[in-house]
Amino acid sequence: MKIVLIRHGDADGAHARAIGQTDLPLSAAGRADLLALAERWSGPPPDAVWSSDLLRALDSARLWSERVGAPEPQIDPRLRELSLGSIEGLRWEDPRVSDDPQVRAWLDDWVQLAPPGGETLADLAQRLQDFRSTLPTYGTLVVFSHATPIRLWITELLGWPRSRLFDLELPTASASALRRHSAGFEVSFAGQREPDFRTFLTDTSE
């Protein structure tokens, strides 16, 4: 069994804003990056594709799937980005963000706390685990999601503490690959914009 995790492409209007579950479409650059990533796919289409219901991920999944001939993406809101609550969509320099003591407290302890009205990492990790428990146990699966869920998924497999979440570089329109072996899953590569899908997809070792 193999799983490819793909972070959505660049979102239109996301720069310098608190974008968690704010629903933004792909930018023109994001679409181009996703098409370039799709061109690197080598081999038969995956057996199934899942996507967050947020536009930047769902647009990415549909564009990519059409290009590689993959099945229509299955939509699952459990793959959404972390909710940022009351600061969703605001610019980081906005006084409602920069001067809010609850926001400052969250930024000082983002591993444990939630932004005002938002989710903790533990909340996100729980819905991600709920999603993973429903996946098939065979085949090649592709999942389109967001930076924080994918980072949580990968760093958990690497045995990293959540405090190291941002040590993992995960650009937009990047792919990460997981392969099951006798003891569970291992990370074949992470955060690659020019991944070697051929080697990953043809490797039959378990």
Side-chain angles (χ1 to χ4, degrees):
M1 178 185 179
K2 296 174 180 178
I3 301 176
V4 176
L5 307 175
I6 298 180
R7 185 184 175 192
H8 61 80
D10 178 67
D12 196 20
H15 180 67
R17 294 170 62 194
I19 304 300
Q21 295 186 6
T22 303
D23 208 5
L24 300 175
L26 281 178
S27 66
R31 291 180 63 86
D33 290 342
L34 256 297
L35 288 173
L37 185 63
E39 291 299 326
R40 299 192 65 84
W41 188 262
S42 178
D47 296 287
V49 178
W50 281 265
S51 176
S52 158
D53 61 335
L54 297 178
L55 279 176
R56 59 191 185 273
L58 188 53
D59 286 352
S60 297
R62 286 173 170 162
L63 187 68
W64 185 93
S65 295
E66 181 178 1
R67 180 57 62 96
V68 305
E72 178 71 16
Q74 302 176 54
I75 302 170
D76 198 313
R78 292 175 294 186
L79 293 168
R80 284 184 170 201
E81 180 57 277
L82 184 78
S83 170
L84 299 183
S86 63
I87 66 172
E88 284 280 359
L90 298 178
R91 300 188 69 81
W92 289 106
E93 63 189 19
D94 188 305
R96 288 172 291 177
V97 178
S98 59
D99 296 343
D100 187 320
Q102 287 183 282
V103 176
R104 291 201 300 270
W106 167 61
L107 291 172
D108 287 339
D109 188 11
W110 51 267
V111 174
Q112 300 293 332
L113 301 181
E119 290 180 299
T120 63
L121 285 179
D123 294 332
L124 192 161
Q126 182 59 60
R127 60 177 164 87
L128 187 61
Q129 178 55 40
D130 291 344
F131 166 77
R132 290 189 306 216
S133 70
T134 66
L135 288 176
T137 58
Y138 56 88
T140 299
L141 315 177
V142 175
V143 176
F144 283 81
S145 188
H146 306 265
T148 312
I150 296 175
R151 283 189 171 110
L152 276 173
W153 196 329
I154 295 172
T155 55
E156 178 183 300
L157 291 177
L158 294 174
W160 294 4
R162 289 176 182 169
S163 58
R164 292 191 60 192
L165 210 62
F166 294 99
D167 289 356
L168 178 63
E169 293 188 17
L170 198 75
T172 55
S174 67
S176 304
L178 316 177
R179 184 180 61 194
R180 187 173 62 186
H181 57 83
S182 58
F185 279 92
E186 65 180 11
V187 180
S188 295
F189 58 81
Q192 298 296 305
R193 298 196 81 181
E194 297 183 354
D196 181 4
F197 282 126
R198 179 180 297 276
T199 298
F200 173 69
L201 293 171
T202 58
D203 186 351
T204 59
S205 61
E206 291 287 348

